[in-house]
């Protein structure tokens, strides 16, 4: 029997998805599962996007342009301008979700064996994209005690080698909820310019900032034009994760032309989803105001309740809709599986994402879980209560 | 300024798409362009698929399962069974088009520097997927004089090295239109079993076979279970290229589990497109009968007309909707660009795909073009007439 690749063996199982079979078994046993494991919001997709697809008049569901339709990219550049990101349609390549945007970016700027420095914990699938691209993730440790702020810039500098091609951040952060300050972004800009690296910023949670804090895009930083690559997606902004539309944005035309070649090889991003995404740009501000208000309440509820559990440590998120919680256990993988396999409270249990998968340093995050606050307040209250009881009962 | 990757430099420009800017310039000058360059059929998408999307009642455009929805994969396995391909839902991973299916397959079975043997000319984007995956394409030359039949099996055997991981075929063939016989498939099966390789078959044109000839899937070959990987897509079958739904199918569970890890990293295939694809399975047989009848007429028209041009050599396709034509010129790249930039007949011109991009052996295919017969008969007649006049007028 022919064997799979080393790459295939190394490819990590998604910590967000690997417990899905256990959740399905639990459901088959009649147990209700609260999904805190995945960033799939329960927020309704804007009507304007849903209607555009229902009212579409396509006769032939044809390929779009590989870089996305001219109309969509032009309107998207206007959205960016409103967000103080001064780019034009030609600086944008539409991709199949932020996932493909990252894969194309990695392929365009890194070769087999090259290195990308990423503050950890980081979005778990960065590991998968790195393995797929033959690239090595070099982690810089950020700490729950510091709320997962940017590690000292010297920590980055120590790790730079001739193989280093880029620094990658997620801002606001998945899984940490940390929002980088303008000062922190400027420090990163300075170091990538000094060492002639790219700075990739995954800014898909741009709209989700709380407590009056502002998001600072890397695209707004002076002198970073040739170094900055922004990753974006409609998934979270408009609660349309299943559309699969994202983009790569850069003022570096060599990068954009290279990404375009990757885009041409796969022909085009999905056509229906581009209809939804273009229409979603007309979403009224009131939609976002309500959504942000809702998330602030959820976050406040979740953090307060988690902090009331003995032995639980949690960083307060300033953006996105995740938090990392440290639990009074040794093995969050085992605990998370046990929650689905063995535990229930009044016929209900919770699914969380073990945090080890969000680290690349072995051993880190073993006692942490990522919790996505994508459920309504009363479900979050129930979920934390389930966690509280479960932690008491859990005997590893 | 930080530099792009070698991979990015090596990534070929799509021969199907690289002339698009010239076509757009021609259109801006008021010239009508007949698109024979791309396999984007003018056939209407089945009503049942279009209506399913128009009548969808999603409130939240959520992620689907990474491997595609259980319902869709189950129905799809029934479609395969009807086509004498005996697979179940668990043998199928739904992907974002056949493109992603190939990328996941390459990643799952090949590492940096591994080799895949492909009869050339081959679908140009196999080059792009190979560069993206760090894999080397080793071509076996098939010839226009033989109608692009399978090269002698000894030619394959000579090229097998310890780095060889797979043989990849497209059946029916893009860009050749060649349909492999059962005997040819069995020869390939024997050699991959003997040398413990994978046999990847891109079978996206399964329905498009003519003159009463039958398609033979690799999935129907005995003893090939652990070696066979089928690539499929809804793009051509239902004329919905823009949906971006395809799949990887294999009875080798290690391959499927590995492909699933790649699929999990990118979260899910597009949700709207899966609605269309699932509904498309209800397309009545009469749709296909009409489509095939239409393509046979188009093919007959195109081939007859091309053969009537002095100096033009063309292989008669038995499937798919492409043919390779050898023209009495030296540089099809230059000629194809000239057609768009300098030539027009009554305000009209044609866009074809220079065939060199469908070869990986340097110098081959320089005097050939790929023509997609995806336009209606009268447009094909006009297009070939334009070609005829252009060949007379062209002075390189």
């Amino acid at each position: 029997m022919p064997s799979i690749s080393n790459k295939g063996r190394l490819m990590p199982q998604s910590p967000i998805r690997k417990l899905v079979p256990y959740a399905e078994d639990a459901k088959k046993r009649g147990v209700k599962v609260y999904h805190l494991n995945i960033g799939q919001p329960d927020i309704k997709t804007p009507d304007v996007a849903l209607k555009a697809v229902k009212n579409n008049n396509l006769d032939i569901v044809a390929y779009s342009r590989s870089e996305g339709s001219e109309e969509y990219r032009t309107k998207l550049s206007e959205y960016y301008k409103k967000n103080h990101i001064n780019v034009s349609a030609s600086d944008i390549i539409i991709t199949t979700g932020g996932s493909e945007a990252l894969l194309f970016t990695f392929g365009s700027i890194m070769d087999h064996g090259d290195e990308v420095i990423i503050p950890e914990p980081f979005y778990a699938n960065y590991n998968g994209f790195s393995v797929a691209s033959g690239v090595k993730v070099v982690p810089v440790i950020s700490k729950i005690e510091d709320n997962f702020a940017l590690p000292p810039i010297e920590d980055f500098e120590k790790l730079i080698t001739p193989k280093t091609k880029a620094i990658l951040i997620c801002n606001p952060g998945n899984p940490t909820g940390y929002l980088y300050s303008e000062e922190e972004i400027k420090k990163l800009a300075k170091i990538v310019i000094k060492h002639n690296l790219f700075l990739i910023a995954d800014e898909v949670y741009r709209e989700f900032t709380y407590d009056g804090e502002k998001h600072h895009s890397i695209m707004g930083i002076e002198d970073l034009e040739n170094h900055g690559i922004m990753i974006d997606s409609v998934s979270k902004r408009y609660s349309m994760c299943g559309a699969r539309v994202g983009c790569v944005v850069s003022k570096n035309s060599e990068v954009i032309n290279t990404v375009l070649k990757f885009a041409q090889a796969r022909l085009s991003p999905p056509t229906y989803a581009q209809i939804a995404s273009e229409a979603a740009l007309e979403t009224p501000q009131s939609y976002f105001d309500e959504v942000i208000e809702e998330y602030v309440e959820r976050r406040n509820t979740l953090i307060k309740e988690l902090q009331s559990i003995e032995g639980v440590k949690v960083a307060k998120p300033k953006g996105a809709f995740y938090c990392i919680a440290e639990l009074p256990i040794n093995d969050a993988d085992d605990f998370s599986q046990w929650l689905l396999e063995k535990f229930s409270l009044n016929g209900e249990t919770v699914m969380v994402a073990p945090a080890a998968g969000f680290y690349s340093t072995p051993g880190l995050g073993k006692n942490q879980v990522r919790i996505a606050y994508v459920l309504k307040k009363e479900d979050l209250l129930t979920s934390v209560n389930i966690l509280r009881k479960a932690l008491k009962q859990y005997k590893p």
Side-chain angles (χ1 to χ4, degrees), chain A residues 84 171 179-182 206 209-217:
Chain A
H84 313 291
N171 183 34
L179 181 70
Y180 290 110
S181 68
E182 191 174 9
R206 179 178 306 112
T209 64
Y210 313 126
D211 310 330
E213 300 253 13
K214 263 192 58 172
H215 175 256
H216 297 281
S217 172

Side-chain angles (χ1 to χ4, degrees), chain A residues 104-135:
Chain A
F104 287 175
T105 298
F106 279 19
S108 296
I109 64 168
M110 289 189 276
D111 286 305
H112 183 76
D114 281 345
E115 298 171 1
V116 53
I117 300 177
I118 317 180
E120 71 178 353
F122 53 76
Y123 175 51
N125 289 323
Y126 295 163
N127 275 325
F129 304 142
S130 300
V131 171
S133 306
V135 160

Side-chain angles (χ1 to χ4, degrees), chain A residues 3 39 163 169 199 251 262 333 341 366:
Chain A
S3 71
K163 292 265 182 205
I169 58 166
L199 179 59
K251 303 295 278 182
F262 282 81
D333 275 290
E341 269 196 312
K366 289 283 284 179

Side-chain angles (χ1 to χ4, degrees), chain A residues 44-57 275-276 279-280:
Chain A
K44 200 167 169 291
T45 306
D47 273 333
V48 67
L50 296 171
K51 277 189 189 145
V53 174
K54 288 175 79 80
N55 298 335
N56 87 81
N57 52 15
I275 293 173

Side-chain angles (χ1 to χ4, degrees), chain A residues 291-339:
Chain A
V291 168
I292 299 303
E293 194 180 331
E294 176 70 27
Y295 276 119
V296 168
E297 195 184 3
R298 289 175 180 190
R299 179 199 60 166
N300 292 347
T301 302
L302 175 73
I303 301 298
K304 181 170 159 242
E305 292 300 312
L306 284 173
Q307 284 175 333
S308 76
I309 305 178
E310 209 187 307
V312 170
K313 196 189 289 178
V314 59
K316 190 168 183 183
K318 297 189 283 181
F321 36 68
Y322 308 95
C323 74
I324 291 279
E326 203 163 287
L327 307 180
I329 55 169
N330 291 320
D331 185 344
D333 275 290
D334 183 73
F335 176 66
S336 305
Q337 188 174 324
W338 175 85
L339 280 171

Side-chain angles (χ1 to χ4, degrees), chain A residues 68-76 278 281:
Chain A
S69 81
E70 194 67 20
E71 295 74 17
Y72 177 41
R73 288 182 305 127
T74 302
K75 286 191 195 167
L76 190 55
E278 189 176 329
L281 289 167

